[in-house]
């Protein structure tokens, strides 16, 4: 069965960096695009970024463009999100999600990132 | 990219039908048949309920249905059940090759 497990969250000071990981199993990871979606405490879902199956195409929400970088290692079945210049408003649960023709058909349980001094 | 507009809350009695709207623009909802709907229970990850405007993934009850007219997509839940009480979000592909979620709707079963 499809399994997505995020890790790397924690408390970080404003302006610092953090890298999230998403370990995938139960499907052919290298064949699917992957997304990151976040949810601030008590708020709605916000799409963050997507990468194509081979990492050649990447798109970002305006709110993170230039600060966040999505990447993947298909040999390790792992998706990453490098987050730089973090701000208080980046505080959220970050979910990775598998893409199926433009839809997020499977989601991980999320990892909490708290940006605070 | 502004979030798609959804009503903050919708309620209904068991057995009734409710409809949640999702309004965007010609650059997202109106321009593509790539609208999906997600159900989220408190503390849980979202679950895909509808994809490509009208399609249900395997395992999702046929009480859930989707439609679209112009720049507005809709999710209808018929035969409302207590387990349908959750938050619901629409999502659309956009002309910028990005995605945008709706503001979210809390469904309450009275």
């Amino acid at each position: 069965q499809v399994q997505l497990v995020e890790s790397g969250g924690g408390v970080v000071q404003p302006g610092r960096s953090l890298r999230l990981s998403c370990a995938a199993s139960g499907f052919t990871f290298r064949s699917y695009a992957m997304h990151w979606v976040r949810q601030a405490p008590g708020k709605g879902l916000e799409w963050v970024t997507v990468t194509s199956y081979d990492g050649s195409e990447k798109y970002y929400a305006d709110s993170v463009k230039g600060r966040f970088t999505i990447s993947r290692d298909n040999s390790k079945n792992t998706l990453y999100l490098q987050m730089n210049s973090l701000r208080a408003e980046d505080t959220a649960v970050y979910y990775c999600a598998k893409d199926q023709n433009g839809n997020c058909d499977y989601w991980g349980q999320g990892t909490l990132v708290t940006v605070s001094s | 990219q502004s979030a798609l507009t959804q009503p903050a809350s919708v309620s209904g009695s068991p057995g009734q039908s409710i409809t949640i709207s999702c309004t965007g623009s010609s650059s997202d909802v109106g321009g593509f048949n790539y609208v999906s709907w997600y159900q989220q229970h408190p503390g849980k990850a979202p679950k895909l309920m509808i994809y490509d405007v009208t399609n249900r993934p395997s395992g999702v009850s046929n009480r859930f249905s989707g439609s679209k007219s112009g720049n507005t997509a809709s999710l209808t839940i018929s035969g409302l059940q207590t387990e349908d009480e959750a938050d619901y979000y629409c999502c659309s592909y956009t002309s910028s090759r990005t995605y945008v979620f709706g503001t979210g709707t809390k469904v309450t079963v009275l």
Side-chain angles (χ1 to χ4, degrees):
Chain A
Q1 70 282 20
V2 173
Q3 197 166 15
L4 299 169
V5 180
E6 303 93 339
S7 61
V11 180
V12 60
Q13 293 179 328
R16 304 298 289 265
S17 299
L18 202 63
R19 188 177 82 157
L20 306 183
S21 299
C22 169
S25 61
F27 66 102
T28 307
F29 180 74
R30 64 179 181 271
S31 297
Y32 292 91
M34 295 291 295
H35 300 258
W36 286 100
V37 177
R38 69 183 181 182
Q39 186 170 34
K43 303 297 184 181
L45 300 174
E46 180 186 13
W47 179 83
V48 175
T49 180
V50 63
T51 177
S52 60
Y53 70 99
D54 61 355
S56 63
E57 295 185 56
K58 304 172 184 181
Y59 300 93
Y60 298 90
D62 288 344
S63 58
V64 306
K65 197 176 298 182
R67 300 187 301 123
F68 289 13
T69 301
I70 190 171
S71 62
R72 63 190 299 158
D73 186 337
N74 286 344
S75 69
K76 296 182 178 179
N77 290 349
T78 301
L79 177 72
Y80 302 101
L81 183 65
Q82 177 67 43
M83 305 185 294
N84 298 333
S85 303
L86 282 162
R87 306 166 179 168
E89 54 264 37
D90 295 319
T91 294
V93 173
Y94 285 75
Y95 296 99
C96 65
K98 171 184 167 291
D99 182 275
Q100 179 67 46
N101 296 328
N103 306 281
C104 297
D105 62 347
Y106 288 94
W107 298 62
Q109 286 305 303
T111 187
L112 176 62
V113 173
T114 302
V115 183
S116 173
S117 55
Chain B
Q1 181 73 50
S2 298
L4 307 175
T5 301
Q6 298 181 230
S9 63
V10 173
S11 62
S13 299
Q16 288 187 329
S17 294
I18 61 169
T19 297
I20 303 168
S21 60
C22 169
T23 301
S25 68
S26 58
S27 297
D28 39 63
V29 175
F32 308 93
N33 285 326
Y34 296 132
V35 177
S36 51
W37 288 90
Y38 299 87
Q39 176 192 66
Q40 187 181 34
H41 287 107
K44 300 295 188 181
K47 174 186 176 183
L48 178 65
M49 304 301 285
I50 295 288
Y51 67 96
D52 296 351
V53 180
T54 61
N55 298 306
R56 266 189 321 274
S58 174
V60 172
S61 171
N62 60 9
R63 297 184 299 102
F64 291 84
S65 62
S67 63
K68 191 183 83 166
S69 177
N71 296 337
T72 298
S74 299
L75 174 71
T76 297
I77 309 175
S78 58
L80 199 61
Q81 298 182 0
T82 55
E83 59 260 38
D84 300 333
E85 188 161 291
D87 293 326
Y88 291 82
Y89 297 90
C90 59
C91 182
S92 176
Y93 182 69
T94 81
S95 58
S96 301
R97 306 190 75 170
T98 61
Y99 294 80
V100 60
F101 279 95
T103 50
T105 298
K106 181 177 181 59
V107 169
T108 301
V109 181
L110 301 171

